[in-house]
Amino acid sequence: MNASDKLFYNLNIYTPIDTGKPSFGKDQNIIKEYRNSAIYVRNGIIIDIGTKDELIINNTNNNSVFELIDMCSATIIPGFVDPHTHMCFANRRESEFDMRLKGATYLEILENDGGILSSVNAVKNSTEEKLVSITRDLVLSAMSSGTTTIEIKSGYGLFKEEELKMLSAIKKVRDTTPLDIVATFMAAHAVPSEYKDNHEGFIDLIIKEMFPDVLKQNIAEFCDVFCEKGVFTIDESRKLLQAAEKAGLKTKIHADEVFDTGGASLAAELAVTSAEHLLAANIDNLKAMGQANTIAVLLPATAYSLKKEYANARLMIDQCNLPVALATDCNPGSCFCESMPFVFGLAVMNMNMTVNEALVASTLNAAYAINRNNIVGSLEIGKQADFIVLDGESPTILAYHAGSNSILNVYKKGEKVI
């Protein structure tokens, strides 16, 4: 007898199909539909999909006990996977947003003690408990909008003590909320003022002093680097990412957000798991990323917040054979947004992605971008029963019902959490 067995029936299911690699090109537009179907769940894992009668026959024996749950013709999709956030921070920067709306440049904001260094100072002066509280609130808010798996970066500490404090806070949130949380170490988010004229010294500090303690802490899985004009050059980013991989961390890169510095080319050269932003990347480098099986993580809510052009998703999908994922980029400065439905709607309406492409991008491809494709990202046998009940007849509702949370319920490992 297995009292944890559940049979969810009377379902209309929309899900990507995992072929063992991220979906790209025309395949990113493929979604499987199951009408009037059922899912059999044991210990949070999907063990069968079919009709109600089929699953009862397939899973009934003299010792079996399972709970029958009528979902009343609900439309469900996999839980959203958000593969790029900076949710661990100590202060909001609402006043900077107001300054930007009034025309202030980033340099002017910096001169008024704003920008990333504002977040760095706030983390330095914050307790770990405060970081945990803020991060947990944002994570639970994201969950209420359908996110069931999420990545969170450090990067507002810059120095070892503060970076480790952030990663510790992320771990505590991971251990006390229902979501699967993936941590990324990102001390290379900016260059502290103390090392303004000594980038090499700061890079050595990260490699020689931070990597060993980060690995010892056993929370971060990835290392990310901000490769951009005025931050880290191509050569500096290469050195950091190669050292990270040698140390045992998987790699990501913030690439070509503002200028085409060749960050996408470096992403392809090193075959990093994902490259993020890519608003300024050129087609040749994007094609190289596709050949290297690197995932493009696009952040439309950031472009929206900064009033910038959106990343060229159509080019990436149609001409570059590049798998596209979507993420919120939730952070206190450039994009204070934890809603994947909002990101989904922006991708469809402002980036010209189809509904199916956006669904794959926010579930399966996003799961590949944080190395969780083996357990989440699609509703298939062997994966977790992480799913969302939609207030609509298809995933189209996420773009159609603009400005609304079209999530009725959220299930994590077969348990209703919202």
Side-chain angles (χ1 to χ4, degrees):
M1 182 175 71
N2 195 333
S4 68
D5 287 12
K6 297 179 180 179
L7 196 161
F8 297 90
Y9 68 97
N10 208 355
L11 288 168
N12 296 310
I13 305 167
Y14 292 78
T15 180
I17 297 300
D18 191 350
T19 62
K21 60 184 179 181
S23 296
F24 60 87
K26 292 181 180 178
D27 287 347
Q28 182 150 355
N29 198 42
I30 297 175
I31 292 293
K32 186 171 181 60
E33 299 179 25
Y34 298 87
R35 292 290 181 178
N36 192 25
S37 297
I39 295 177
Y40 196 100
V41 176
R42 174 173 295 155
N43 296 325
I45 305 299
I46 298 170
I47 65 168
D48 211 350
I49 300 176
T51 68
K52 175 186 175 184
D53 291 343
E54 288 172 343
L55 298 196
I56 290 176
I57 293 171
N58 293 346
N59 296 282
T60 297
N61 58 54
N62 291 334
N63 296 316
S64 66
V65 174
F66 52 85
E67 182 182 0
L68 278 169
I69 302 172
D70 185 353
M71 298 297 287
C72 302
S73 299
T75 297
I76 70 167
I77 61 173
F80 289 125
V81 179
D82 189 347
H84 179 129
T85 83
H86 301 264
M87 282 188 178
C88 186
F89 57 81
N91 70 325
R92 296 184 181 185
R93 286 152 50 190
E94 185 176 342
S95 61
E96 292 181 23
F97 181 76
D98 189 51
M99 292 173 68
R100 287 204 309 272
L101 293 177
K102 294 174 180 176
T105 65
Y106 184 67
L107 182 59
E108 290 170 335
I109 291 172
L110 279 177
E111 290 172 348
N112 283 276
D113 298 320
I116 189 173
L117 295 182
S118 168
S119 291
V120 170
N121 289 331
V123 166
K124 182 178 181 180
N125 295 318
S126 174
T127 64
E128 184 175 318
E129 289 71 23
K130 180 180 178 181
L131 292 176
V132 169
S133 177
I134 291 171
T135 307
R136 182 188 290 116
D137 286 348
L138 285 169
V139 163
L140 294 177
S141 176
M143 186 174 73
S144 71
S145 294
T147 298
T148 54
T149 301
I150 197 165
E151 183 255 23
I152 305 176
K153 305 178 192 293
S154 66
Y156 294 128
L158 303 187
F159 291 103
K160 183 170 71 173
E161 182 179 350
E162 286 75 26
E163 286 289 310
L164 292 176
K165 180 168 66 175
M166 292 186 70
L167 290 172
S168 178
I170 293 168
K171 182 178 186 298
K172 288 180 179 178
V173 174
R174 183 194 68 181
D175 293 343
T176 56
T177 59
L179 286 82
D180 287 314
I181 296 178
V182 176
T184 294
F185 171 60
M186 199 179 176
H189 195 191
V191 179
S193 55
E194 295 90 333
Y195 287 88
K196 180 181 179 181
D197 299 317
N198 184 17
H199 283 210
E200 192 68 26
F202 183 55
I203 291 168
D204 286 343
L205 184 71
I206 293 173
I207 294 172
K208 295 177 181 178
E209 294 192 24
M210 296 195 208
F211 279 166
D213 282 351
V214 166
L215 290 165
K216 184 178 179 180
Q217 193 186 46
N218 195 31
I219 172 63
E221 298 180 39
F222 287 88
C223 175
D224 199 343
V225 175
F226 194 3
C227 180
E228 185 57 77
K229 184 177 180 180
V231 192
F232 293 96
T233 67
I234 290 289
D235 288 340
E236 291 168 347
S237 299
R238 180 186 292 108
K239 181 176 180 178
L240 280 161
L241 292 170
Q242 287 178 332
E245 187 171 15
K246 185 177 180 181
L249 292 166
K250 295 180 281 290
T251 52
K252 295 174 168 287
I253 183 172
H254 279 51
D256 303 332
E257 178 182 3
V258 182
F259 299 97
D260 182 5
T261 63
S265 177
L266 180 62
E269 173 194 330
L270 300 181
V272 300
T273 301
S274 64
E276 340 271 282
H277 289 289
L278 300 169
L279 279 75
N282 68 67
I283 186 170
D284 290 335
N285 291 343
L286 293 172
K287 286 182 177 180
M289 278 178 53
Q291 293 171 354
N293 297 316
T294 293
I295 299 166
V297 177
L298 307 186
L299 312 167
T302 305
Y304 169 87
S305 180
L306 295 176
K307 295 187 175 182
K308 288 187 174 183
E309 293 292 324
Y310 291 82
N312 196 337
R314 287 264 52 93
L315 173 72
M316 297 177 192
I317 294 171
D318 295 339
Q319 299 183 44
C320 301
N321 285 328
L322 185 56
V324 169
L326 294 169
T328 63
D329 192 23
C330 182
N331 71 78
S334 61
C335 180
F336 191 42
C337 168
E338 64 271 28
S339 170
M340 284 297 288
F342 179 66
V343 168
F344 189 108
L346 289 176
V348 172
M349 300 304 294
N350 291 354
M351 295 170 67
N352 298 314
M353 295 177 71
T354 69
V355 168
N356 284 358
E357 287 169 346
L359 181 57
V360 171
S362 55
T363 55
L364 183 61
N365 280 0
Y368 270 97
I370 54 174
N371 200 36
R372 288 297 185 275
N373 51 284
N374 59 322
I375 60 170
V376 299
S378 58
L379 295 174
E380 299 182 86
I381 293 172
K383 292 196 177 185
Q384 292 178 181
D386 294 4
F387 59 88
I388 306 166
V389 179
L390 297 179
D391 182 21
E393 60 189 31
S394 76
T396 301
I397 190 66
L398 294 163
Y400 170 64
H401 197 177
S404 174
N405 185 1
S406 296
I407 311 303
L408 294 178
N409 300 114
V410 179
Y411 287 77
K412 184 67 178 174
K413 298 180 183 178
E415 299 291 336
K416 187 176 179 181
V417 292
I418 297 292

